[in-house]
Amino acid sequence: MIEAMRSKAASWVAKILALFLILSFAVWGIEDMMPGGGTIQNIAEVNGENISRDALNRKFQQSVNVMKSSLGNNFSARQAARLGLIEQSLDEIIEEKLLLSEIDRLKLTATQTSIRQTIFNDPRFRGPGNTIDRKAFQSFLRQSGLSEDDFVKVLGNQIREKQLLSALTSGVTAPQDLTDLLFRYQDQKRSIEIATIPYASIQNIKDPSEQELLKYFNKNKEFFRSVEYRDLSILYLNPDQFGAGMTPSEDRLQELYQNRKKAASTPERRNLSQILLLDETALAKAKKGLEEGRSFEQTAAEISGGPPQSLGLIARDELPEAVSKVAFATKLNEVSAPAKSSLGWHIIRVNSINPGKEATYTDLRPQLLTELKREMGVDEIISITAKIDDSLAAGVKLEDAANASGVSIKRLSEIDILGNDRHSKPNPSYPKSRRFQELFASLQEGETSQIEETEDGSYFVLRVDKVYPPSIPELSTIKGKIVIAWKTEQSRITAEKEARKLLSLAKKRGLKGAAEEMGITTKVVEKMSRFEPKRELKISEEVVSEIFRAKEKETIFAPDFQGFTVAFIKEISDARMPTVKNDQLIALEKNIRQSIAEELTVQFIKDLRQKAKVTINRGALQRFTEEQTGG
């Protein structure tokens, strides 16, 4: 779709500007990495091959998106840069290039058959009847920003990389001594008595004085720092909205119906059983048995010593042609004539029939109408974006380009990367698109994006009109939040004091007695393992660590999820190695093998890096980092 849009943007203005860009790139290519030259674009060089700023930015944004999937959309590129994700992204690119170089040196190849089979086996692209869902495949390519050729190339490299690393790690085994040691460590059991004082149990915290509030605010200012907000101008084109008022012709609807009828129809399915005969001697024996009145089951038992083979509920095209021909010509509860395939001779019995249903034009018309309207909307958008592309390339303002094409600009004021305003209220005009968020974070003030496609097939142009850097608000504007935060901290402090008091009493009188004296309930948990705490016991890693660090009959104290916990270690039961491998031991050995294989891979890449010529342009890397951190 994007390629079609770009082809329509090839006006004489765009071509002249493209010529100047090509000349500019030629100059940059000569001056890259050269001190005193023009704009520095390359971040690093591996064996003479450049790593551009754009390549690092793409890799970094991919890493940020992965982190967001784990930590939530509040995680920003600025935070990622401060955590060192830029250097990590650069290392990953360098390692990929080193591995590909070694793969090329060893002349490893990925055949077209292996690539096709890998795509076919990917559950994301699996369609009905063990086919490729082309629509899902194209949607994946669109969301990944890859052409089909690019994806095949990436997949081929992954297959070749797997060949190399498999050869390196295929012989890895889990050392017995290490397995025994880790199993005993992992499966040690502890019986405990436990009590928790939650923050929420601390009531009647008084309001802070103005002096206490000011002191708390000054000490914790960074906690109240706002996120970055931006003023945006958005040109947003949705195919469904554009196509809503359009009317496809009946001829187009009928044509699409003919193309979709077979896929939308439900094929007849039959529950079949078969007797499979490998030679004509067995075939003759089976035919004779059936002719003499023996049942299907009796005939199967005489031939194979067992019951007929169940094929289950099956459609016509799921059988070899010769077999399906007789199976679907045989009546219900009857036995077919023999049919020959490459496997041998098949005698089929029809146990039940689920009739098929052909999808009618009336059934499909609403869906087809929606699809064609959207398609017409897309065509209209392509025409509009071609004009806008030309206008923007000629230096026309976004507003003027939009007006000339008959579309409107939406303006959003003081919006964060999630589309929320300063009161945490979501703006309904903010596009729900990963690509939009990436551009929100990367565009500078006054910068305008190219025409971009979203995951749902819409198109947009984004301009950042103003950037409001993160700031610490005045105390008076967030006083309510500060009071709540102060009270929460006081609850935590009081809960910790109460828990330490319980710990002190427990060491003298036992946990149960101390808890009863303080009006706190206790719980006994039998034989809890280090890595599998009892499901009913929801405790933090800090508490688990303290429990398994302590000695028998010792009492421990640690912060929990919503309070502080005191626990008494009643008994320690050491693990014994099982005489027969169980699931737990098998899983442990697998983890050990994987860890050793990963370490071997790390050492192999480290060796490749030591032998390679790797140069990092620290100045360019620093500038890129400062752009991402806002520093």
Side-chain angles (χ1 to χ4, degrees):
M1 194 65 68
I2 291 294
E3 288 78 359
M5 292 166 56
R6 296 299 178 226
S7 67
K8 293 190 178 186
S11 68
W12 64 272
V13 175
K15 289 175 182 176
I16 291 171
L17 288 174
L19 176 61
F20 283 115
L21 285 172
I22 291 167
L23 292 174
S24 300
F25 290 148
V27 174
W28 289 341
I30 295 169
E31 294 182 344
D32 278 353
M33 310 282 288
M34 296 295 290
T39 304
I40 298 176
Q41 293 293 310
N42 291 330
I43 300 291
E45 189 179 277
V46 180
N47 290 333
E49 185 179 354
N50 288 329
I51 297 174
S52 69
R53 182 186 183 282
D54 287 344
L56 176 59
N57 186 50
R58 283 194 299 273
K59 188 72 173 179
F60 173 62
Q61 293 301 333
Q62 289 171 3
S63 300
V64 172
N65 289 333
V66 170
M67 295 292 284
K68 280 182 179 179
S69 66
S70 301
L71 303 177
N73 283 329
N74 285 327
F75 184 78
S76 66
R78 177 179 280 112
Q79 290 172 300
R82 287 173 176 166
L83 289 171
L85 221 63
I86 290 176
E87 292 265 3
Q88 181 179 316
S89 298
L90 179 58
D91 282 341
E92 288 176 8
I93 296 173
I94 291 171
E95 289 173 4
E96 287 169 5
K97 289 190 177 296
L98 291 172
L99 277 173
L100 283 176
S101 178
E102 183 67 8
I103 288 166
D104 289 339
R105 187 186 70 80
L106 294 171
K107 294 182 173 58
L108 300 179
T109 60
T111 65
Q112 291 299 314
T113 301
S114 64
I115 293 172
R116 279 197 301 271
Q117 193 62 44
T118 301
I119 295 173
F120 180 82
N121 291 338
D122 194 320
R124 294 173 297 180
F125 313 139
R126 185 65 58 81
N130 290 328
T131 60
I132 294 293
D133 187 337
R134 191 72 186 175
K135 189 175 180 180
F137 183 54
Q138 293 297 336
S139 176
F140 167 80
L141 294 178
R142 188 166 58 249
Q143 291 180 28
S144 303
L146 294 170
S147 69
E148 189 167 331
D149 288 343
D150 288 339
F151 176 69
V152 168
K153 183 178 179 182
V154 168
L155 194 58
N157 286 337
Q158 289 176 349
I159 292 171
R160 296 195 301 151
E161 183 179 309
K162 188 176 180 180
Q163 291 173 1
L164 174 63
L165 298 181
S166 294
L168 179 70
T169 61
S170 60
V172 169
T173 58
Q176 189 62 48
D177 290 345
L178 179 60
T179 303
D180 291 354
L181 179 64
L182 289 177
F183 183 86
R184 293 177 190 279
Y185 174 83
Q186 174 178 297
D187 207 47
Q188 185 191 73
K189 302 287 195 302
R190 297 195 170 203
S191 298
I192 62 170
E193 189 173 27
I194 192 168
T196 299
I197 299 178
Y199 307 144
S201 67
I202 309 302
Q203 303 292 325
N204 302 319
I205 301 292
K206 65 178 183 64
D207 287 338
S209 66
E210 292 298 323
Q211 186 176 1
E212 287 174 323
L213 203 61
L214 180 61
K215 181 180 178 182
Y216 178 79
F217 177 67
N218 288 332
K219 182 180 177 182
N220 299 281
K221 279 185 176 181
E222 284 299 321
F223 178 78
F224 299 101
R225 182 181 290 277
S226 70
V227 297
E228 181 180 274
Y229 292 92
R230 297 185 166 207
D231 290 347
L232 310 175
S233 291
I234 307 170
L235 188 154
Y236 190 77
L237 308 173
N238 182 285
D240 293 325
Q241 293 173 355
F242 271 78
M246 298 179 177
T247 306
S249 68
E250 283 298 319
D251 287 344
R252 290 189 67 187
L253 285 165
Q254 286 286 355
E255 181 183 358
L256 186 57
Y257 166 67
Q258 294 301 328
N259 292 334
R260 295 287 178 80
K261 180 170 64 174
K262 183 177 180 181
S265 298
T266 304
E268 177 186 320
R269 289 184 173 273
R270 296 187 167 206
N271 186 296
L272 306 175
S273 298
Q274 76 167 1
I275 302 172
L276 181 61
L277 309 154
L278 301 182
D279 54 52
E280 295 199 6
T281 302
L283 173 63
K285 185 177 180 181
K287 288 172 69 176
K288 182 180 179 183
L290 291 169
E291 288 169 358
E292 291 176 353
R294 292 184 182 84
S295 70
F296 196 65
E297 285 75 12
Q298 289 172 334
T299 303
E302 288 180 358
I303 300 296
S304 64
Q309 179 186 1
S310 173
L311 298 180
L313 203 60
I314 201 161
R316 186 185 298 268
D317 59 2
E318 292 172 354
L319 289 170
E321 185 178 353
V323 180
S324 68
K325 187 175 180 180
V326 298
F328 279 78
T330 303
K331 294 179 180 179
L332 179 64
N333 296 324
E334 291 190 359
V335 176
S336 74
K340 189 176 183 182
S341 76
S342 58
L343 298 176
W345 293 90
H346 305 254
I347 299 178
I348 304 291
R349 183 179 64 188
V350 180
N351 304 314
S352 66
I353 299 176
N354 288 6
K357 181 185 177 184
E358 184 177 275
T360 66
Y361 178 66
T362 303
D363 292 335
L364 296 184
R365 192 177 189 281
Q367 176 189 337
L368 301 178
L369 189 61
T370 300
E371 285 187 33
L372 284 179
K373 282 187 173 187
R374 180 180 174 85
E375 184 180 307
M376 293 171 74
V378 170
D379 291 340
E380 179 68 15
I381 287 174
I382 289 174
S383 176
I384 292 171
T385 51
K387 296 175 185 176
I388 293 173
D389 240 352
D390 287 349
S391 298
L392 294 177
V396 176
K397 287 179 62 177
L398 180 60
E399 289 84 353
D400 295 335
N403 288 335
S405 300
V407 293
S408 59
I409 300 280
K410 291 182 180 178
R411 289 185 170 81
L412 281 58
S413 298
E414 299 187 30
I415 294 292
D416 68 17
I417 194 170
L418 298 179
N420 299 323
D421 62 18
R422 289 188 182 270
H423 302 291
S424 300
K425 184 179 178 181
N427 190 306
S429 296
Y430 187 88
K432 294 177 174 62
S433 163
R434 183 182 66 186
R435 180 58 181 157
F436 190 91
Q437 288 185 340
E438 289 175 359
L439 290 169
F440 180 103
S442 62
L443 290 177
Q444 303 300 312
E445 186 172 308
E447 212 174 345
T448 304
S449 75
Q450 294 181 333
I451 295 172
E452 299 281 346
E453 185 178 5
T454 67
E455 292 84 350
D456 68 355
S458 299
Y459 298 90
F460 70 87
V461 179
L462 167 64
R463 185 179 68 205
V464 177
D465 297 322
K466 187 173 181 180
V467 176
Y468 302 88
S471 60
I472 298 172
E474 294 294 325
L475 186 152
S476 59
T477 62
I478 55 167
K479 186 175 180 179
K481 289 183 178 180
I482 300 171
V483 169
I484 293 172
W486 183 87
K487 284 188 172 184
T488 299
E489 183 176 83
Q490 294 305 308
S491 296
R492 186 195 64 77
I493 291 170
T494 306
E496 183 175 1
K497 287 179 180 177
E498 289 293 295
R500 290 193 181 279
K501 178 181 176 182
L502 176 62
L503 175 67
S504 178
L505 286 173
K507 289 180 177 179
K508 298 173 185 176
R509 305 174 194 177
L511 180 57
K512 187 174 182 180
E516 287 175 352
E517 183 177 327
M518 292 180 64
I520 299 167
T521 58
T522 60
K523 181 187 291 185
V524 174
V525 181
E526 300 290 349
K527 295 186 176 181
M528 179 182 81
S529 75
R530 180 180 268 103
F531 297 109
E532 292 184 8
K534 297 291 183 179
R535 290 183 179 178
E536 71 273 12
L537 189 65
K538 297 178 180 178
I539 54 178
S540 66
E541 288 294 331
E542 290 90 339
V543 175
V544 173
S545 295
E546 288 297 323
I547 288 172
F548 280 88
R549 190 180 292 121
K551 298 176 182 177
E552 195 170 84
K553 308 303 180 186
E554 190 176 347
T555 307
I556 62 96
F557 162 91
D560 214 334
F561 293 120
Q562 298 295 329
F564 290 90
T565 288
V566 177
F568 173 67
I569 317 304
K570 293 175 61 181
E571 183 183 10
I572 298 175
S573 305
D574 289 328
R576 293 183 179 180
M577 289 296 293
T579 54
V580 179
K581 285 187 180 181
N582 56 24
D583 291 344
Q584 188 178 357
L585 184 57
I586 291 170
L588 177 61
E589 288 179 340
K590 181 180 178 180
N591 288 336
I592 292 172
R593 289 196 303 272
Q594 287 177 342
S595 297
I596 294 173
E598 287 169 5
E599 182 59 28
L600 281 172
T601 302
V602 168
Q603 294 302 321
F604 176 66
I605 293 173
K606 185 178 179 181
D607 183 64
L608 290 178
R609 187 159 183 163
Q610 287 175 345
K611 293 176 181 177
K613 185 180 179 182
V614 179
T615 305
I616 297 176
N617 188 328
R618 291 292 171 187
L621 182 61
Q622 180 63 27
R623 280 189 289 277
F624 178 78
T625 303
E626 288 172 355
E627 289 174 13
Q628 298 300 324
T629 59

